[in-house]
Amino acid sequence: MNLCGFEVGIDKPLFLIAGPCVIESEQLAIDTAGQLKEMTDALGMPFIFKSSYDKANRSSTKSFRGLGIEEGLRILQKVKDEVGVPVLTDVHEDTPLEEVASVVDVMQTPAFLVRQTNFIQNVCRQGLPVNIKKGQFQAPWDMDQVVAKAREVGNEQIMVCDRGTSFGYNTLISDMRGLASMRSTGCPVVFDATHSVQQPGGQGTTSGGQREMVPVLARAAIAAGISGVFMETHPDPANALSDGPNMWPLGKLMPLLETMKRLDDVVKTQGFIENELL
């Protein structure tokens, strides 16, 4: 699959989707995107900047949701123009999809909305690549039917993304077998390394997280065989306005990316013998 000018797939080099959870300010978006571009350019790693103009799925109505669509899209356009990277943002059921599609390069659908047929198909009708997150309540093979719905409207640029599976109260677990199972969709498989360590609603009015486990899961997912990694990062996660407990510190990202790239090179050089049995 061609994604923003580069080829992605189980036999292609690892790509990265990364950025702050939500757009907090123009300066944060520009600075973070610039640093991420420098890192990924140095590694020869394809990169898409991610940040949300609106976070609809907050634990509390008092939580920061973003700067709104007009200001958010303006900032994403500026990131594209000044930093020179493609951009991705989340969309929701009430999103003016055509307006968002006029700015962003990739759309992402939230995990909780994965079974909303009209929503999934309307997003895919925009003709952009779509990263569809597997619901925390779904089995990996349930994504076969989600992808079938998406392709019915003529969009073949579909990715499937795992962000963990509900495992008791306020807890997610990542089953690495599921990443291989989702290859049956025929789509590039992306692993969300930061939301997978989230503890949804774990702090009452906000979600908790175990950011120290981000490298553990990222390494394991790459060893299992994936096309890309989704990772939210922030220069100061402790003071981030959304998802701070599970975001990875920007200042510690380069060594992790280096490890991820080396692992990906080794795994993909050897190939995936399990594909003969899947």
Side-chain angles (χ1 to χ4, degrees):
M1 170 181 155
N2 186 278
L3 176 65
C4 302
F6 52 88
E7 293 296 317
V8 300
I10 191 62
D11 59 343
K12 304 297 181 184
L14 186 76
F15 71 93
L16 178 70
I17 300 171
C21 175
V22 67
I23 299 173
E24 299 179 13
S25 69
E26 177 183 306
Q27 197 62 54
L28 176 69
I30 295 290
D31 290 349
T32 305
Q35 291 182 59
L36 287 168
K37 185 176 188 299
E38 289 179 4
M39 294 180 202
T40 52
D41 280 354
L43 294 172
M45 181 180 290
F47 164 59
I48 297 170
F49 177 75
K50 180 272 170 183
S51 203
S52 299
Y53 67 85
D54 176 41
K55 296 297 291 186
N57 50 341
R58 303 312 315 273
S59 297
S60 167
T61 56
K62 297 179 181 179
S63 298
F64 180 76
R65 289 185 53 165
L67 301 178
I69 186 168
E70 182 176 344
E71 180 68 356
L73 291 180
R74 183 192 69 78
I75 291 171
L76 288 173
Q77 183 66 62
K78 193 164 185 178
V79 169
K80 289 179 63 172
D81 295 341
E82 292 194 3
V83 183
V85 293
V87 299
L88 173 153
T89 198
D90 297 298
V91 291
H92 305 282
E93 287 183 298
D94 58 354
T95 296
L97 295 174
E98 291 184 4
E99 185 176 353
V100 175
S102 70
V103 172
V104 306
D105 301 282
V106 185
M107 288 183 170
Q108 180 168 275
T109 60
F112 284 126
L113 298 181
V114 69
R115 287 185 59 85
Q116 301 303 307
T117 301
N118 290 348
F119 169 69
I120 294 294
Q121 291 191 329
N122 286 337
V123 173
C124 293
R125 283 191 180 96
Q126 304 309 309
L128 293 178
V130 180
N131 189 32
I132 302 179
K133 289 197 172 184
K134 181 186 80 67
Q136 301 94 322
F137 46 85
Q138 286 184 306
W141 42 87
D142 291 339
M143 291 301 287
D144 289 346
Q145 292 305 313
V146 176
V147 170
K149 293 177 184 179
R151 287 176 171 158
E152 282 178 4
V153 300
N155 192 336
E156 295 292 329
Q157 297 179 288
I158 308 298
M159 297 173 282
V160 291
C161 181
D162 186 13
R163 56 145 301 161
T165 302
S166 295
F167 188 75
Y169 299 127
N170 306 121
T171 305
L172 300 171
I173 191 167
S174 294
D175 182 356
M176 296 301 155
R177 297 172 299 176
L179 298 172
S181 294
M182 287 199 295
R183 294 180 208 158
S184 65
T185 62
C187 300
V189 176
V190 179
F191 179 66
D192 183 340
T194 48
H195 285 109
S196 291
V197 303
Q198 189 180 62
Q199 295 167 319
Q203 296 181 356
T205 58
T206 61
S207 292
Q210 295 176 298
R211 78 167 63 95
E212 69 276 10
M213 293 298 174
V214 169
V216 176
L217 294 184
R219 293 192 300 260
I222 291 167
I226 54 175
S227 298
V229 168
F230 174 104
M231 183 180 298
E232 290 182 338
T233 184
H234 193 284
D236 184 13
N239 291 300
L241 299 181
S242 176
D243 278 8
N246 54 262
M247 278 200 281
W248 187 249
L250 184 62
K252 297 181 180 294
L253 184 57
M254 187 61 175
L256 177 55
L257 292 181
E258 291 173 338
T259 299
M260 288 163 51
K261 179 176 170 56
R262 287 197 294 269
L263 281 172
D264 185 69
D265 289 344
V266 170
V267 171
K268 288 177 179 171
T269 297
Q270 298 299 316
F272 301 95
I273 58 174
E274 68 270 18
N275 283 347
E276 299 173 9
L277 302 176
L278 287 173

